[in-house]
Amino acid sequence: MKRFLAFSLLLAALGSSGLACSANAQTVTDGSDKKASPFVKNTLKTLTKRFPDTHPFFRGITTHANAEKKQVVCGEISLSSSKTPEPDSFMLFGATEGENAPIVYEPREIPASIDSREVNMWINHGADLADLEEMGCVPEGSYRQYGDKLNQVLQNKKHSATR
């Protein structure tokens, strides 16, 4: 604790002496943020602030323009506490220039059975995937596959309930 306090005081002193101290709040694991636009940098900062208890890792950052000629950023974020996050810890994200907030989609396997109290949660979860598909961040048809699987689970529940 004493070392941390001494280090903090040293950094404060360096900052007040005119030396610039910069720290990245996020890490891009694959260098895909090279030549990132201010919009992309702001999106990464926004996502970092959304998850203040973690040190987010990003990868696969791409940009393109949508039909309205607005910039869209897509990529993956991991909230893993490991210094080298596992590949399956990454979640999809996307943001459109001028829109409210980036969308993060955590791919979760739909269970074989869903409690009726959880149906709305799964529907809302799929809405994030639909938004990412509309942005061009996931392949076309991703939301339909998700919806078909969810409907199949719900239909199986109805059939077993009527027996």
Side-chain angles (χ1 to χ4, degrees):
M1 183 69 178
K2 290 179 183 178
R3 287 182 187 165
F4 177 75
L5 182 59
F7 184 68
S8 297
L9 292 173
L10 178 64
L11 284 177
L14 286 174
S16 64
S17 68
L19 295 174
C21 294
S22 66
N24 289 336
Q26 70 274 340
T27 302
V28 180
T29 62
D30 61 359
S32 58
D33 66 331
K34 300 272 191 269
K35 299 180 184 178
S37 70
F39 167 66
V40 172
K41 291 177 184 176
N42 285 335
T43 300
L44 298 183
K45 286 179 187 175
T46 300
L47 286 168
T48 300
K49 288 178 186 175
R50 183 189 288 181
F51 304 106
D53 297 335
T54 62
H55 176 86
F57 293 89
F58 296 93
R59 72 177 186 187
I61 299 170
T62 61
T63 59
H64 63 272
N66 64 12
E68 292 88 35
K69 308 256 191 261
K70 292 183 179 182
Q71 188 175 15
V72 176
V73 61
C74 304
E76 298 176 74
I77 181 174
S78 174
L79 305 176
S80 173
S81 58
S82 170
K83 290 192 181 213
T84 54
E86 294 294 321
D88 63 346
S89 72
F90 283 88
M91 302 176 287
L92 301 167
F93 78 87
T96 303
E97 194 172 22
E99 298 293 323
N100 293 340
I103 294 170
V104 177
Y105 175 75
E106 179 183 355
R108 288 185 267 165
E109 188 63 33
I110 298 172
S113 166
I114 297 175
D115 186 308
S116 60
R117 295 171 289 193
E118 297 177 344
V119 171
N120 283 339
M121 179 198 69
W122 284 99
I123 291 170
N124 292 338
H125 181 69
D128 291 340
L129 183 60
D131 290 341
L132 288 176
E133 184 176 330
E134 188 176 305
M135 285 184 218
C137 294
V138 296
E140 195 170 317
S142 297
Y143 176 67
R144 180 167 178 90
Q145 288 177 341
Y146 176 87
D148 289 347
K149 174 122 186 185
L150 182 59
N151 284 332
Q152 181 181 14
V153 169
L154 296 175
Q155 289 298 323
N156 287 342
K157 183 176 178 153
K158 284 182 185 177
H159 288 296
S160 58
T162 58
R163 291 181 188 182

